[in-house]
Each structure stands twice: as C-alpha cells, then as structure tokens.
C-alpha cells in the first residue's frame, strides 16, 4: 500500500509540475467566473426585491457555475498542451487567447450585473462600449 501511495503522489507531483506554467491563466479565468457568479447572485436578489417577490438561492445554478469553471480549466489545460506539445512550432498561444475570451465574456456579464445592482448608467454605457469594441475587432478580422 505504501508503494501505491508513492506512485500516486509521484503522478500528482508530475502533473502539477507539468501544469505549473498555466496556473496564472487558470486562476485568472476561475476568478472571473467566481466574480460573475457572486455579482449574478446579488443582481438576482436585487431584481427579486425590486419586483417584491421572494428570493432564494438555487443550488442547481451554483453547480452549473462549478461545472463551467471546471470545463474552463480543462479547456485551458488542453489548449496549452496543444500549444506546447502538438503545435509548438506555430506559437499560437491558444491557451492565452481562450483565457482572454472567457475573461471578456465574464467581464461583459459582470457589467450587466453591476448595472442591474447599481442602476447606474455608467455600467450600461460600459457594456455598450465593450459590445461595440468587440464588434469592431471581429469585423477587422
């Protein structure tokens, strides 16, 4: 049994060493997902209070966010592996691009939540600005 634990710990340590360079990417993407989730909960509560209806926390929505965070982390790892072991000669930086995309989508959702929570037109303007800039960048490509 002791030998089994040694092999398991060696495999885990090897995987950690392999994936260490992308820890900042995974951490950043998960942070954006968590911030969007928390502000989404607050926005949902604010909307329910404004409409005068009861509000409650739904665990299935929380589990969807956990699954989303897991899939984002796995996708970043997979893209990093493609970048560094399959297409290393192309220098595509797929993991960085995907992380930027995820963070951009989560930022957009955060701006919508912030506008709902605060009622401020600043966040509405920022959301429109982000939408316009993304549209311009997509059209340029």
């Amino acid at each position: 049994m002791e030998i089994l634990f040694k092999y398991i710990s060696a495999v885990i340590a090897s995987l950690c060493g392999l994936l260490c360079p992308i820890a900042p990417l995974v951490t950043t993407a998960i942070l954006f997902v968590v911030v969007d989730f928390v502000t989404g909960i607050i926005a949902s509560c604010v909307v329910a209070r404004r409409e005068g209806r009861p509000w409650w926390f739904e665990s299935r929505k929380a589990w969807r966010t956990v699954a989303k965070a897991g899939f984002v982390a796995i996708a970043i790892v997979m893209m990093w592996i493609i970048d560094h072991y399959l297409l290393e000669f192309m220098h595509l930086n797929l993991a960085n691009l995907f992380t930027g995309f995820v963070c951009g989508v989560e930022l957009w959702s955060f701006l919508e939540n912030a506008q709902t929570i605060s009622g401020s037109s600043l966040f509405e303007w920022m959301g429109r600005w982000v939408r316009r800039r993304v549209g311009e960048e997509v059209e340029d490509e």
Side-chain angles (χ1 to χ4, degrees), residues 42-53 55 116-117:
I42 295 169
S44 171
C45 185
V46 166
V47 168
R49 188 178 307 134
R50 285 181 189 158
E51 294 175 354
R53 60 180 170 83
W55 178 86
T116 301
I117 293 167

Side-chain angles (χ1 to χ4, degrees), residues 89-134:
F89 60 93
M90 295 180 77
H91 306 288
L92 295 175
N93 293 323
L94 294 175
N96 293 36
L97 290 171
F98 179 74
T99 303
F101 172 75
V102 168
C103 291
V105 169
E106 296 300 324
L107 174 65
W108 195 338
S109 180
F110 166 78
L111 291 173
E112 291 172 348
N113 293 336
Q115 198 278 326
T116 301
I117 293 167
S118 68
S120 171
S121 59
L122 171 67
F123 292 111
E124 185 178 352
W125 176 84
M126 288 175 68
R128 284 195 314 262
W129 182 80
V130 168
R131 188 177 312 123
R132 189 179 74 243
R133 291 291 299 166
V134 168

